[in-house]
Amino acid sequence: MSKRTEIKQILSSHSDLVGQELTVMGWVRAFRANRFIALNDGTSMKTLQVVVDFENMDENLLKQVGFHACIKATGQLVESQGAGQAVELQANEIEILGACNLDEYPMQPKAQSLEFMREKAHFRMRTNTFSSVFRIRHGIAYAVHKYFNDNGYFYMHTPIVTGSDAEGAGEMFRVSTLDPANPPRTEEGDVDYSQDFFGKATNLTVSGQLQAEIGALALGKVYTFGPTFRAENSNTSRHLAEFWMIEPEVAFYDIYDDMDLAEDFCKYLINFILDNYSDELEFLDQRIQNMEKNMPKEQRRPMSLTETLRFVVDNDFERITYTEAVNILRNSKPYKKGRFEYDVEWGKDLQAEHERFLVEKKFKKPVIVRDYPASIKAFYMRLNDEQENVPGKTVAAMDVLFPGIGEVIGGSQREERHDVLVSRMKDMDVPEEELWWYLELRKFGGAPHAGFGLGFERMVQFITGMGNIRDVIAFPRTPGSAEF
Ligand code: 4AD
Ligand code: MG
């Protein structure tokens, strides 16, 4: 194909290009008065105005220039006479690369619901909303690598297929090549996974953390960034069965270093998008304001999207212990008036409604809760010494809670003491045989270390202001749904 000039480049350096003959390719957003094409090629939010000399063009060809048709246009770039754009392309040649029959095409040049477009995931990226979301998603992914590279971390690829349950929660997808209708059996009648592909039972990973710990105890500072899978039957706006997680793991870090890293990292990602994707943010901000226009005031967001992001980067995150959180909640108005659906009691996990109260009502900013009860947290978290005025055993775990989203990060200092870890694993029925290597890391040259996992889509949700996590991943996998 002949060389094309990208529209982003044309619009950002048009003074150098005016007068030149250029070729552009992209999808038609609108065609006005048989003369003005708004063309978008995905490189940015903006469209290039392509002006057609309709009297000298084939009528049949022009009929095909319509919403989301893909075209190639060649002509001279000139300064625009009209308002609204600095330059336009005076086309002397138009070629239809892909016609788009609107009688059959599901997308239409009018507002369509996010739910509808979710079912048309093969076309939704052509809209302003989704193209903005996915450009920002890319930007955050790039910023993740930049942050860690600039700070001396090594990117580590941990396995997708594993034999272990890193979270010990049993929410795993089995990986097997055995015939499900007629699997080989052991003498006891159980499925005999020793005859399976890997010679043992395997599953898709729920987290790369345990392997990242191996990296941290050799390279010092590592991170993973990969897909993780959870077979939890959670049909919410914040859960996916397949999501991407970023997991830094650092030797010689304690829980406090870990919280500092988490806060600095979150702020870096948000700042990066504020600095580099302002057009997209502005569009998404406007979208939210249009949507909320007809809502009662108390249901609208208290701040615009950009204001929210700036607020988060400009303020320290609040840091409290789980025990303090429980006391705050039990003394809160909604608790006393019986407005929480779930009870608040030391030893029980905080529910989304409790987290939202702390973040959105009490502190009105991100909150890091630490030192959770040992009984509700994973086996690998480091046991704290007994603390005064704390009813039970706690672990050095922390969750970062964001407005509108809830938990974006879960992390901890890891149990580096071999004997303590063994006894925790026994208490929690975590199989020692499976994690022999994890235990050996504590026996030979171990060190204190800590890390966390950031749910990538939850961060994309926060930064783009999208209400449903299914709208920030190109092809969401959720219970009952694996289309595309
Ligand atoms: O809190 P989680 O389960 O922690 C871990 O997996 C640790 N191994 C992390 C570590 O210490 N290295 O998950 C981490 C984050 C959560 O805070 C949340 O943001 C996200 O992953 N997450 C999900 N995101 C989308 N859909 C789901 N089903 C998610 N489950 C967790
Ligand atoms: Mg968690």
Side-chain angles (χ1 to χ4, degrees), residues 142-194:
Y142 173 74
V144 166
H145 290 300
K146 181 162 168 53
Y147 178 85
F148 286 124
N149 184 67
D150 291 354
N151 287 292
Y153 287 68
F154 299 103
Y155 180 27
M156 192 176 158
H157 297 104
T158 51
I160 308 287
V161 176
T162 81
S164 42
D165 178 1
E167 291 304 299
E171 294 169 331
M172 296 173 301
F173 290 100
R174 172 83 70 213
V175 173
S176 172
T177 54
L178 296 178
D179 176 4
N182 186 24
R185 302 269 175 192
T186 62
E187 277 173 17
E188 292 78 40
D190 300 330
V191 175
D192 184 6
Y193 287 107
S194 72

Side-chain angles (χ1 to χ4, degrees), residues 377 399 407 410:
K377 287 288 183 186
D399 278 359
E407 181 190 337

Side-chain angles (χ1 to χ4, degrees), residues 271-324:
N271 263 325
F272 186 87
I273 299 303
L274 281 168
D275 290 346
N276 293 283
Y277 289 84
S278 53
D279 287 350
E280 279 80 3
L281 284 180
E282 218 169 276
F283 173 82
L284 293 169
D285 218 344
Q286 198 56 54
R287 192 192 144 263
I288 295 168
Q289 283 169 34
N290 291 343
M291 207 173 58
E292 293 186 343
K293 218 166 34 196
N294 300 321
M295 288 185 185
K297 189 150 190 267
E298 58 286 1
Q299 279 175 33
R300 291 185 219 155
R301 300 180 189 215
M303 284 187 253
S304 76
L305 180 60
T306 347
E307 281 167 350
T308 308
L309 300 181
R310 290 213 184 281
F311 183 80
V312 167
V313 295
D314 288 343
N315 286 284
D316 290 342
F317 294 5
E318 189 70 35
R319 298 184 185 196
I320 57 173
T321 65
Y322 165 89
T323 305
E324 285 163 351

